[in-house]
Amino acid sequence: MARQWPDGESGPLDEVERRQLDAVRRFGTVGSLLLMIGSLGAGAAPVFNPVFQIPVLGLFSRMTTVSLAFAFTGVFMIVLAWLGLGRLSRPGRARVVSVPQMARTLVMWIAPLVFTVPSFSKDVYSYLAQSEIAAMGQDPYTVGPATALGVNHPLTLGVPTMWRETPSPYGPLFLSVGRAVSWLTGDHVVMGVAAHRLVALVGLAMIVWALPRLARRFGVSPVSALWLGAANPLVLFHLVVGVHNEALAIGLMLVGFELALSRMPRVTPDGPFPPWQRGELLWYAIGAAVITLGAAVKIPAALALGFLGVMIARRMGGRWKHLFAVAGGLGVVFGVVLTAASLGSGLGYGWVSTLNTAATIKSWMAPMTALGFGAGGLGILLGLGNHIDAAITVSRLVGAVIGPLIAAKLLLDSFRWKLRPLTGLGVGLGAVLVFGATVQPWYLLWAAVPLAAAAGNTRFRTAAMIVSAGLAVALAPTGATFDGRVFVLPYAYIGAVIVTAIAVAALWRHVPRAQPTPADAVTSGTP
């Protein structure tokens, strides 16, 4: 049995394991450096690429296959380093990585990625264009970049063609932040991307701050939570490299949840239910306000208010009257803060009408859209005519009902003490987004990050590890399609696999070894 230290956690790494940690850190850092270098030619660079004219560095933009091989090698090495770090942070070991060691490792891996050309997505260029529209005094909720800025504007040129005529689907707080970025950087694309990446890093810092605190509160290993929820390759690739505003939205959501629970006493279904503590109501309101700010970036964060309300109602006694009272109070906070964000931004409530903007894209990655494609294709095979659009519309309507119903069932189970509310939040967000009209790889983080702090056992940790690693290596780190040059991918993959295999062989004796652990080692007790 693993020796348990006074705080209930495993002991510090020994000398051999510290050398293994050093090897893992350096392996991942080299991977980040290679991804940074590869992004110079493989990433979603601006149309007017400033690197193109720089000696040596400009060569990468002319060698797509080589650049992509560099980037894929970096991706593979980061994922392998993350898996090795997972072995050293696995709950139930006699000795595990400490929270400061995990944080330092995360900083080492992120440092090179801060200077990476945006990859995996071009969404950051849409952020820049929509923010410039707001900065010019126009309404980004009614006009797209091409109409408001002109098709030849430097910021419009970076926006993918499919999004140039569409209004912004993002909340008023995010566009207010973006407007400040536009005032600072103007139409300088590189500086604008750097500023938005800084915003994403602030969001990631919030996640890193909140995860270990929430994990301890819900009886989960804080190191395991940081490993799965912050050091996850999908976080590094899509929130840092891809510069997605999910970082800010999820960060605010988790910080708000933690702040709200900071004064909540621990209770059980049978009580006792103590009277209100000093400052308790105030911190509930503060936490709810911060969560609402997350929803003012991207609306899915609002679901956290429901599960927070369930926890407050359970703390009061767990009766229906308590739930309705709490729902009313949180509803007031939500309305006031969201109104302040909407009116204070000068943009009003136009964001409500654009929430479904992404649904204009019909992607096979969305299960309900794929179902519609399949049903429509079957109709064509049976000679019933081409009704793919109608089939997709019907399947999406079904998904729009199923997702919220699952979230409602999870809320009810949490209220009845059958489920941890933070677990319900993660699964509920996953259900709403997976059954939604569109699904992107980074949407998984809405579920994975909260669940990292509340996941119940090692089986979930293993499943999440497999899914995260699989998605991380399957997606090309470009942000562009391969129309007419699909041949580039196999050459890049083969080259990256060979180089990665050589690197692993060179460090094989320093690879952390797996240790058997109990299936329920991640958590200890249920709050």
Side-chain angles (χ1 to χ4, degrees):
M1 181 178 293
R3 177 187 174 188
Q4 296 298 312
W5 292 68
D7 60 359
E9 298 182 1
S10 300
L13 301 180
D14 60 23
E15 184 177 351
V16 173
E17 290 165 331
R18 284 197 299 271
R19 286 198 296 268
Q20 292 174 344
L21 176 60
D22 287 340
V24 165
R25 282 174 169 171
R26 292 166 185 165
F27 196 81
T29 303
V30 171
S32 294
L33 289 167
L34 290 175
L35 179 54
M36 179 189 71
I37 294 171
S39 73
L40 296 174
V47 173
F48 300 108
N49 188 353
V51 178
F52 194 79
Q53 302 297 331
I54 300 177
V56 181
L57 294 182
L59 291 175
F60 288 95
S61 59
R62 298 173 175 85
M63 302 185 299
T64 304
T65 306
V66 173
S67 297
L68 192 55
F70 267 85
F72 268 126
T73 303
V75 166
F76 294 160
M77 291 182 69
I78 291 171
V79 171
L80 289 175
W82 178 67
L83 295 176
L85 183 62
R87 286 187 171 182
L88 293 174
S89 60
R90 186 180 178 90
R93 285 178 55 104
R95 297 168 300 276
V96 297
V97 174
S98 67
V99 170
Q101 286 173 325
M102 181 68 71
R104 286 193 292 271
T105 303
L106 189 57
V107 170
M108 288 179 65
W109 291 355
I110 288 176
L113 301 181
V114 172
F115 304 99
T116 303
V117 175
S119 303
F120 302 98
S121 170
K122 290 185 175 181
D123 280 5
V124 67
Y125 298 118
S126 294
Y127 300 166
L128 290 172
Q130 292 159 2
S131 299
E132 178 67 10
I133 294 172
M136 293 173 59
Q138 300 188 59
D139 187 356
Y141 296 128
T142 59
V143 294
T147 302
L149 305 179
V151 293
N152 293 319
H153 192 282
L155 298 182
T156 302
L157 292 174
V159 179
T161 304
M162 69 181 72
W163 301 121
R164 290 185 181 181
E165 298 289 350
T166 57
S168 173
Y170 307 116
L173 177 62
F174 180 70
L175 287 181
S176 295
V177 172
R179 181 162 48 194
V181 169
S182 293
W183 287 337
L184 291 172
T185 63
D187 60 3
H188 196 294
V189 178
V190 175
M191 294 302 297
V193 169
H196 272 283
R197 180 164 279 152
L198 179 60
V199 173
L201 290 174
V202 170
L204 180 56
M206 294 181 185
I207 293 172
V208 171
W209 179 86
L211 271 179
R213 290 167 172 80
L214 286 169
R216 291 188 182 96
R217 195 175 299 280
F218 286 91
V220 173
S221 163
V223 173
S224 177
L226 280 174
W227 172 79
L228 182 58
N232 192 311
L234 294 178
V235 170
L236 304 182
F237 297 160
H238 295 294
L239 300 191
V240 179
V241 178
V243 204
H244 283 288
N245 55 10
E246 268 80 4
L248 184 60
I250 295 173
L252 287 168
M253 180 183 73
L254 293 181
V255 167
F257 214 90
E258 168 59 23
L259 291 177
L261 301 184
S262 60
R263 299 294 178 89
M264 178 181 286
R266 184 180 294 269
V267 296
T268 63
D270 299 323
F273 305 103
W276 294 112
Q277 308 297 307
R278 184 176 180 180
E280 188 177 342
L281 283 175
L282 174 62
W283 281 101
Y284 291 155
I286 291 174
V290 174
I291 291 173
T292 304
L293 291 177
V297 174
K298 297 199 80 169
I299 197 62
L303 186 60
L305 287 175
F307 289 93
L308 172 61
V310 163
M311 291 198 70
I312 298 173
R314 292 188 347 181
R315 173 260 180 274
M316 294 172 63
R319 297 185 179 181
W320 285 102
K321 64 178 182 180
H322 299 137
L323 185 62
F324 291 133
V326 171
L330 293 182
V332 170
V333 174
F334 179 76
V336 169
V337 174
L338 201 55
T339 298
S342 299
L343 300 183
S345 68
L347 300 173
Y349 282 95
W351 57 272
V352 175
S353 63
T354 64
L355 291 175
N356 206 34
T357 296
T360 57
I361 300 301
K362 298 172 183 177
S363 169
W364 283 92
M365 291 189 66
M368 302 312 294
T369 301
L371 179 63
F373 272 120
L378 181 61
I380 293 175
L381 290 176
L382 296 177
L384 301 177
N386 187 347
H387 301 290
I388 290 179
D389 288 341
I392 290 175
T393 299
V394 172
S395 62
R396 284 179 168 182
L397 286 174
V398 172
V401 173
I402 293 176
L405 281 178
I406 292 175
K409 177 63 166 58
L410 294 167
L411 277 167
L412 183 60
D413 287 345
S414 298
F415 180 61
R416 292 175 173 172
W417 302 84
K418 295 180 179 180
L419 186 70
R420 297 180 178 191
L422 194 58
T423 301
L425 173 61
V427 178
L429 284 168
V432 171
L433 293 170
V434 166
F435 285 101
T438 56
V439 176
Q440 298 290 354
W442 50 91
Y443 289 4
L444 173 68
L445 297 175
W446 282 100
V449 177
L451 286 173
N457 54 52
T458 303
R459 286 186 293 273
F460 164 79
R461 188 179 189 267
T462 302
M465 177 185 70
I466 293 172
V467 172
S468 298
L471 282 176
V473 300
L475 299 172
T478 62
T481 61
F482 289 88
D483 296 340
R485 52 192 179 94
V486 178
F487 64 89
V488 169
L489 280 177
Y491 287 119
Y493 263 118
I494 292 170
V497 168
I498 292 173
V499 173
T500 304
I502 293 173
V504 171
L507 289 177
W508 183 251
R509 65 191 182 92
H510 295 295
V511 174
R513 308 304 177 192
Q515 292 183 2
T517 57
D520 59 349
V522 172
T523 60
S524 57
T526 302

